[in-house]
Amino acid sequence: MTPSIRTIDVDLADRSYAICVGEKNLAELGPAMRRSGLGNKAAIVTDGNIAGLYLKPVEASLRQAGFETSVIFLPAGEEHKNLDAVAAIYDRLVAARFERGSTLVALGGGVVGDVTGFAAASYLRGISYVQVPTTLLAQVDSSVGGKTGVNHKEGKNLIGAFHQPRLVWIDVAVLRSLPKREVVAGLAEVIKYGVIADAALFRRLEEKLDDILKLDSAMLTEVVAASCAIKADVVAKDERESDLRAVLNFGHTVGHALEALTGYETFLHGEAVAIGMVQAAAISVAEGACDRESFERIRRLVVRAGLPAEIPADVSPAELVKHMEVDKKSAGGKIKFILCKGIGATRFHALAPGEIVARLEESR
Ligand code: GLY
């Protein structure tokens, strides 16, 4: 049975847009872009790995729908998420005389999406772009919400802009071409949505985890759509992260620190977030925000998914917390921590660095 397409609206007044989640729907992208009122000229930005798999159907769909298309290749990999990649896009857009009404289509994972989005945010002070995310992480997180940008040699995502896409087009069938480890890492963010906002989604993940791991299309469509709906809701309420949007960073305070401390080589982002969520849940129990049973359910689901849950023995909590202090979340000497209130709700809690070290030591 072909699962139906789910559409989620991101409600941002005149910058509202749809997230469409389906299976094998790449051929329908062109007509959908037409319906979104996008102009005739479109450049598909992608990388060599993705192009071999999905460029043809995407380009054909756009052409059949009457778009004049060109293709811009970016080198694959996080090390190329920098201003050189953005400059390479500008060069092509200038040479091809792209105008305010032209569109960029980001076909790829988080790096392609973030770089393309930033080029779209800045070229001619802002042109339209469409996200066609091809990793689970990008489908449930980075393609939605308009955070665009690149890394600086001193830190990740230091240069960027908020610029919402005009359409997010998700095909869950593309996840079949991902390495299993990457799908599992993306699942960490799906679990996160259950913990922070949706106890029913969390239960569904507990019940259907095996089907999800087998990449059952109906289940993937359901959980990707549920995740995007939560993100869409949060973004609609707090687009620029003045407050609420920070809940999306549940598990990321420890997770980011762990990634940085291990040189971004040991863990995929989602794996570090999985550890961070379990540790944040443990801290939530210790701070009286979360019951023990909910903590156990979170830890069990993370482990069943094949994700790591513990801080490696050779990583010291004190070192981890040092990385948190240089992170932008630090305010007034305390670190703004996101605690879970059981499963499905959160609250912010400022913790002194020493308190976090002590809590992390306790949970070892
Ligand atoms: N990835 C978190 C956010 O988009 O706010």
Side-chain angles (χ1 to χ4, degrees), residues 141 144 147 231 241 245 248-249:
D141 186 15
V144 175
K147 278 189 181 174
K231 181 146 188 191
E241 199 168 318
R245 186 165 175 165
L248 299 173
N249 290 332

Side-chain angles (χ1 to χ4, degrees), residues 246-294:
V247 301
L248 299 173
N249 290 332
F250 176 73
H252 288 57
T253 309
V254 171
H256 280 155
L258 196 51
E259 282 183 281
L261 194 59
T262 51
Y264 297 95
E265 278 173 0
T266 311
F267 298 108
L268 296 178
H269 174 69
E271 293 168 342
V273 167
I275 295 172
M277 286 195 295
V278 173
Q279 302 308 313
I283 292 174
S284 306
V285 173
E287 294 294 322
C290 180
D291 58 289
R292 190 87 213 163
E293 170 57 19
S294 297

